[in-house]
Amino acid sequence: MGYELNRFQGDVDEELICPICSGVLEEPLQAPQCEHAFCSTCILEWLTRQPTCPVDRNPITPNQLKPVPRILRNLLSRCQIACDNAGFGCTAVVKLDMLQSHLQECEHNPKKPVHCELGCGLVVPKDELKDHNCVRELRTVMQQQQQKITEIQTEGSEHKLQISELKREVHLLKEYMKSLRASNPRLREIQTEMENSDVLRWLNSLQPARVTRWGGMISTPDAVLQAVIKRAQMDSGCPSHIVNELMENAHERRWPPGLSTLETRQLNRRQYENYVTKRIPGRQAVVVMACENQHMPPDLILEPGLVMIFAHGVE
């Protein structure tokens, strides 16, 4: 997904605009025959659906894509762009090829890693420093290490047998509770109330998220990435009865009609800012729950909610 056009100083040549996302080209690639240029993310995602050029429909495959000519790269590099942290007070306007080096040093970057000077020496994001507690953080690190030691010590066959027996007992208890709910409607109502309460409690514990780069959304996350996000979600206290369903809803094959294809996402892009999003701690991912997004059109939300994973752009 390209850079937002309104971030650039002065006019941008139309040759530098991606025909797919209408942003300024980011890591561009071009088609082999017609030489139309696109953001690499945009064209690779497009080709997963149809192996043709989006402009003239000439057949192409991902392997046929090639870097854009040097003259086009030079034109891009000279474009003047506002810093990503303009919303946090940075007034810098730099050449596009200097943007990344500027961001690494930008004093207005809320996520810039800084060393705690109060005693623990840990590195924390700048915007979390005011709430940083040395004792609590060091205790967490110590507990994590102790947990690793315990896990190593309990890898013996005897402990594995005990774990297997406990899992069997948990399964039997779940089946017993299921039969009770089936025979008693009031129990079903009570469980529903408890589950809804658990969801609200979890949502209230999460920090509101601000997505600055919707174009960084990963619509087809692989199994490894989903497993990482699922673990972070569970660690955040996500109720067990919705964990798996939310993670299944992290892939576009389960998304509602308004998000299910690249074309519909482009059409609905202006509505994304209306989402109420909560950040999955420590990850470039947000959860968009139906109970917090009743104001959104039905084709942009799903029960119980969506998990959106990003390559970058979540604060």
Side-chain angles (χ1 to χ4, degrees), residues 137-151:
E137 296 299 330
L138 288 173
R139 184 176 295 165
T140 299
V141 172
M142 184 179 65
Q143 289 173 346
Q144 291 172 345
Q145 295 299 326
Q146 289 175 336
Q147 184 177 356
K148 289 180 181 178
I149 293 172
T150 302
E151 289 173 353

Side-chain angles (χ1 to χ4, degrees), residues 160-257:
K160 289 182 179 179
L161 182 62
Q162 292 176 358
I163 293 172
S164 177
E165 183 63 23
L166 285 171
K167 287 183 177 179
R168 190 181 71 85
E169 291 178 5
V170 170
H171 176 72
L172 290 174
L173 281 171
K174 286 182 177 179
E175 291 300 313
Y176 178 65
M177 292 177 65
K178 188 183 297 184
S179 65
L180 283 177
R181 291 195 299 270
S183 62
N184 189 330
R186 178 53 186 157
L187 282 179
R188 290 199 297 272
E189 294 175 6
I190 292 174
Q191 182 178 12
T192 300
E193 292 171 2
M194 291 177 61
E195 290 177 347
N196 291 341
S197 177
D198 288 343
V199 170
L200 290 175
R201 190 181 304 114
W202 172 59
L203 285 175
N204 290 333
S205 72
L206 300 179
Q207 294 294 321
R210 189 170 79 96
V211 179
T212 60
R213 296 292 301 276
W214 287 100
M217 189 189 305
I218 301 174
S219 58
T220 56
D222 60 29
V224 174
L225 180 57
Q226 289 191 64
V228 170
I229 300 300
K230 181 178 179 180
R231 169 51 57 187
Q233 194 169 297
M234 294 171 66
D235 290 344
S236 73
C238 180
S240 58
H241 67 279
I242 62 171
V243 168
N244 290 333
E245 190 170 0
L246 284 178
M247 286 314 304
E248 289 175 2
N249 292 352
H251 196 288
E252 69 174 17
R253 62 173 171 264
R254 289 288 298 270
W255 284 355

